Amino acid sequence: MSGQVRRLASGGRINRDRGLRFTFDGRVLEGYAGDTLASALLANGVDVVGRSFKYARPRGIVGHGAEEPNAIVQLGSAAASVPNLRATQVELYDGLEARSTGAPVFQRAVGRLGRFLPAGFYYKTFMGSAPLWMASEPLLRHAAGFGRAPTGADPDTYDRMNRHCDVLVVGAGPAGLSAALEAARSGARVLLADEQAEFGGSLLAETRPLGVDGATNWVDKTIGELASRANVELLPRSTVSGFYDHNFLTIVERRTDHLGLVSPNATRERLHRVRADQVVLATGAIERPLVFANNDLPGVMLATSVGTYVNRYAVVPGETLLLFTTNDQAYRTALDWRRAGREVCAIVDVREAPGGELVAAAREAGIEVIAGHVVIEAIGRGRVARAVIAPLNASGDALDGPTRRLSCNLIACSGGWNPTLHLGSQTGVRPRWSEDAAAFLPGDLGVRALCTGAVTGTGSLRACLEEGALAGATAASRTGFGSGRTTFAAPVIDEPRGTPARPLYLVPHARPVSRAPKQFVDYQLDVTAADIELAAREGYKSVEHVKRYTALGFGTDQGKLGNVNGVAILARALGKTIAETGTTMFRPSYTPATFGTIAGRDVGEFFDPERHTPMHTWHESKGAAWENVGRWKRPWYYPRAGETMQQAVNRECLAARDGVAILDASTLGKIDIQGADAAEFLDRIYTIGFRRLGVGRCRYGLMLREDGTIFDDGVTARLAENRYLMHTTTGNAEAVFAWLELWHQTEWPDLDVHFTSVTDHWATAALVGPRSREVLAKVGADIDLSRDAFRFMDVREGEVAGFPARVFRISFSGELSFEVNVPAQHGRGLWDALIDAGSEFGITPYGTETMHVLRAEKGFIIVGQDTDGSMTPADMGMDWAVRRNKPFGFIGDRSLVLSDHQRADRPQLVGLASADGDTVLPEGGQLVDDPKPPPPVPMAGHVTSSYYSARLSRPIALGMVKGGSKRIGETVYCPLADGRILAGTIVDPVFYDPEGERQNV
Amino acid sequence: MSDGVGVACRESRVGAFLNLRGDAADPGFRNVAASVTGVELPVEPCTWRRHAGHAAAYWLGPDEWLLAMQNGVGVDLESRLRDVLDPRCSVVDVSGAHVQVELSGEDAGKVLQKSSPYDFDPRNFGVGRCVQTVFAKATALVAAREADAFDIVFRRSYADYLLRWLEDAAAEYNASDGRSP
């Protein structure tokens, strides 16, 4: 693989036997199994991986993990495309296709303008003028965006898994591994998650031995022990993305992304929803870059990242290294570089007199250490070629001597460490600044979460291992496992004595910040030190405001690199300390998550459950059109070949009026109510009385809210002295059940009454029409069906078609009707028997549309269609269903006398007859008194239900009209959106059989 | 499980389901219920009892139980119980309301983890425990029958949805629906 010009001949954790071919921006390149896309790109000598957001400057890879701001790529194309992935976190696979994100043509055009765009430019220019913003926003959005949305439906599958554990350890670096090990040994249930494919974190690039082992051997042994324990679960490739209240955390596990883009037979990503008793955050730290002029040139990288590429991936991302550091640890990178046989041009150390053992080692290796100096500027076209260095003054805010130039093509920077405290911050706990650590550290997370290792500012590897073990033991003991003491013996590690670091957040330049070449703080959103100073000069004092004004930390990387430098620069500009200035907070997700992961399996057929009645497959076989009622699938109508919906509904309506028709009414809510106080309870819940209802009799009731408005309605039957069966509307079944429990449990616990939902237990076939009795007789019922023995509003128990049944003589159509209930397991059997027995009578199945027409012909309301939550019984002309003189009263009773409820001009239920006798008024249509009124137009009411009545051969409608009950015979108008104005006459809401004779036949 | 089957899901035949309400503190009530149904009512929350080949009683609440009777045992049970129980108790035949399936196999617990936020780990949910909980976008009663075998009771109207859900969730564990040979 000769293309891999920057691959070392040996070493690293890559598999050289497995070469992989991939493309980047159309170029065919090669890498190895074990590479990330970033390490493979670097191995191939790819310097420029993208253009910057605002200035379109060429950018190269800076980091090696979640912090990477520049190498943001889009994988694949069309529907399977994935935008905004960090190349440093993309595992290489054969055939991977990647593009740098953004639209280079637009970016360059806008980018040329970018140099004239100061901080707050968008606010100042575009958003200050609404028309300009409206016009320019789409162009700017297109020009500035990261990545592109996929063009089709996602072909992959995602799901969720719930997990519970005693101890969740976040991060499998040195501290996390030792924490997990100690917790596991105590017997606690341990879950260990790490975002990388391999556990080990920084140990995977560690060159020092741990005791007698190589670092990776220690990792292997530790993982081996963890994996062998039944109480431990290991989740590699899993990013703990969110830390929410009550120790609820989300983990995004990437299960197939390392295999290829589309995995139709497997779950691509799984969202683990974790309830952890204890959380150990061993999230480590991310190196802090240094802010100097042109520090965004490709070839400027984090020192740790350079070391990681060399040691873990056997990649040298350049030839001549210049190390620019504020601390001792970064010297390892120069030593690693030298060990890899590459040239180190110099180590530029901010400190006056660095003197630690690593410094000595570097000098011993013949590396020039230039103390008390800084790199003030990088120079090069498309890549670093030279560094300009100069001595720094004692206070660190100005240069203290002449500049000189050094030739190098890689500048490794180390400005110290930023603990990865995002997860703790997500819980709302504000990080605190530590002057000792020169870093923000996690705040106090309480007694159910611990931070350990580098995230707490610990620098020493041995200390990380020991602290991790103690954290693991402590967390386990808090859940009742182990003593909290640890027997962990950290291996002997060569820990060189060091000299203190000298933090530096902005490297001074020979020119002032505002005039110097750009000194980038946030690479991804092109925020410079000058932008932050400008914001401060313009009066922004809060770090939160400066963040929003400059876009510092706004990118997909959430400022993982730039935030602390930005805060420090702001602090200096404001003349405050960093502690006083404070930091912005972080929110989930730690790294971007796909929508697919969030949706899981709740898509397509699982998006919302369908509830089916026992007769569902019969309806299906008859080609029923469906109506969704709540979650239920109900037949809407049953079209025959060639029939329109209206023709089918007309046929069904006439069958019910003239012959016999059958409706699947199984979906009605049904609640079995038992207890010595059942009648009393019902009296308090319903407007009407139930105490004197005879056993075997039914009564219609209205249920009101406390404010006197209608909540639900239905028929309740008295089955025995202390037993009732309540029917609710289909859509309200759960709400009514909860309502009953609420009042019983919180207000009237003294009443002896129990409620049991039997909605699913009973299948209901409503046999409707003048010939329904004949069908029931034919199918066989051991009930006296005669008119006098089985009256309207009676309920009888017996056998129908051989099934145990309850039959209600109730009617929602105004026709003779028998609602036959059997236990649901017999529902289909009953239905088939009734259809069979009814065939000689022309039995016609009908759906919800015909049900609506039949009830509207009778002026029966539907709660939720004719009522909207503001109607009282009087508004609906239903005072007959209200008994005001009960001893206890009922819910809503007293509210009925509210003055507003008594107004004469309240909207009231009326019938509406189309003036032309032909046009069906639109449901929802607004009604006005004057067909051509000057605005503002006073509304007279609206249409609530409207149908064509086949029986009456004309349209009928119900509506709510102000003072309507006194306006019978008057005309109202319904202006339509198309300019037509329909006229309707106000009539009585009962259109058919006003005497109610037909249901008693 | 055998033949590489990770999770099996099969419908259980239950003769009758009854919902029983009464005072758990009243030994008379418990004795009468036990003598008629053949199974003792569990009083410890979230537990269930069974009488092999006869009946199972699931704790649903401090004063509420679900009785699952084997075929043939449940006939007329509602009226037989009503005859002997104190009128302050409630007994309702809900045989039609429920569908019961048995989910078994070494990965059965993982299917439950995909379906419900409850902790089904044996440490928390050993044999003899039961819980009413969120299940996918519906609800269910889940009972630990034996190691790696669970009874799940859900509402009949959700059966199509939940059976498809379970099949989908179990697919990756080489599931069998119990109907295939």
Side-chain angles (χ1 to χ4, degrees), chain A residues 117-128:
Chain A
L117 308 184
F121 174 81
Y122 293 100
Y123 292 101
K124 287 168 180 166
T125 307
F126 295 101
M127 296 182 73

Side-chain angles (χ1 to χ4, degrees), chain A residues 3 75 81 152 175 215 254 341 480 533 537 567 669 672-673 690 858 860 878 958 966:
Chain A
L75 297 194
S81 188
R254 294 168 296 278
E533 292 197 351
R537 279 203 304 282
V567 166
D672 189 297
I673 301 174
F690 281 90
K858 289 291 297 172
F860 296 154
M878 295 174 81
L958 300 175
K966 300 269 189 311

Side-chain angles (χ1 to χ4, degrees), chain A residues 976-992:
Chain A
L976 304 184
D978 63 10
R980 284 183 300 152
I981 298 173
L982 305 178
T985 309
I986 299 176
V987 297
D988 187 89
V990 183
F991 292 91
Y992 185 63

Side-chain angles (χ1 to χ4, degrees), chain A residues 813-896:
Chain A
S813 58
E815 293 298 328
L816 175 68
S817 167
F818 298 86
E819 296 200 354
V820 186
N821 288 253
V822 295
Q825 65 269 33
H826 305 307
R828 179 62 192 270
L830 171 78
W831 186 270
D832 287 343
L834 290 172
I835 293 289
D836 196 40
S839 62
E840 71 177 88
F841 307 98
I843 193 166
T844 303
Y846 71 96
T848 52
E849 187 66 16
T850 292
M851 177 186 85
H852 282 196
V853 177
L854 296 174
R855 65 91 198 175
E857 288 172 342
K858 289 291 297 172
F860 296 154
I861 64 160
I862 289 187
V863 171
Q865 174 162 344
D866 298 295
T867 69
D868 66 3
S870 71
M871 280 83 165
T872 66
D875 296 339
M876 308 312 285
M878 295 174 81
D879 271 342
W880 56 266
V882 179
R883 235 189 62 210
R884 295 296 317 277
N885 56 351
K886 295 182 190 177
F888 192 88
F890 54 87
I891 299 167
D893 190 2
R894 281 176 295 169
S895 299
L896 293 178

Side-chain angles (χ1 to χ4, degrees), chain A residues 608-735:
Chain A
D608 198 31
E610 283 181 10
R611 297 179 72 179
H612 293 168
T613 75
M615 293 79 118
H616 185 81
T617 52
W618 189 91
H619 307 316
E620 220 167 36
S621 73
K622 297 300 169 194
W626 299 100
E627 182 173 30
N628 297 327
V629 184
R631 283 174 161 178
W632 290 99
K633 283 280 172 196
R634 297 195 71 178
W636 191 14
Y637 58 96
Y638 298 82
R640 288 184 181 161
E643 260 183 354
T644 64
M645 175 176 168
Q646 188 63 58
Q647 287 166 338
V649 171
N650 290 351
R651 172 176 53 74
E652 292 171 13
C653 284
L654 293 174
R657 291 280 181 233
D658 298 337
V660 59
I662 186 167
L663 172 77
D664 180 356
S666 306
T667 64
L668 276 190
K670 295 173 280 284
I671 302 169
D672 189 297
I673 301 174
Q674 297 183 30
D677 297 318
E680 173 63 27
F681 184 85
L682 286 169
D683 260 13
R684 298 181 186 187
I685 286 285
Y686 272 127
T687 55
I688 209 157
F690 281 90
R691 216 181 285 273
R692 283 196 290 273
L693 184 68
V695 171
R697 291 289 289 163
C698 304
R699 184 162 286 171
Y700 173 86
L702 283 172
M703 230 179 260
L704 308 186
R705 302 179 187 86
E706 297 95 320
D707 63 3
T709 59
I710 294 171
F711 167 49
D712 201 67
D713 72 343
V715 169
T716 294
R718 190 168 205 166
L719 301 174
E721 179 60 23
N722 291 325
R723 186 179 192 189
Y724 292 80
L725 182 89
M726 174 188 285
H727 287 102
T728 76
T729 55
T730 295
N732 248 356
E734 288 88 352

Side-chain angles (χ1 to χ4, degrees), chain A residues 162 164 187 189 255 270 481 601 605 607 611-612 631-632 674 723 752 754-755 760-761 824-825, chain B residues 78 82 88 90-93 95-96 113 116-117 119 121 123 137 155 157-158 160 164 168 172:
Chain A
N162 297 285
H164 300 259
R189 271 200 282 169
R255 294 168 64 83
R270 174 166 289 166
F481 291 90
R601 289 300 291 139
E605 62 174 325
F607 177 68
R611 297 179 72 179
H612 293 168
R631 283 174 161 178
W632 290 99
Q674 297 183 30
R723 186 179 192 189
D752 173 38
H754 296 291
F755 318 101
D760 282 65
H761 174 64
Q825 65 269 33
Chain B
E78 180 183 358
R82 197 183 307 286
R88 282 171 306 165
S90 155
V91 55
V92 183
D93 180 5
S95 304
Q113 279 181 272
S116 169
D119 183 3
D121 187 279
R123 290 191 187 189
K137 287 192 174 186
R155 296 173 79 163
S157 57
Y158 283 102
D160 285 355
R164 279 183 294 121
D168 182 78
E172 71 172 297

Side-chain angles (χ1 to χ4, degrees), chain A residues 920-942:
Chain A
V920 178
L921 298 171
E923 284 181 358
Q926 290 290 327
L927 300 174
V928 296
D929 290 325
D930 178 352
K932 299 249 185 222
V937 182
M939 291 298 162
H942 67 282

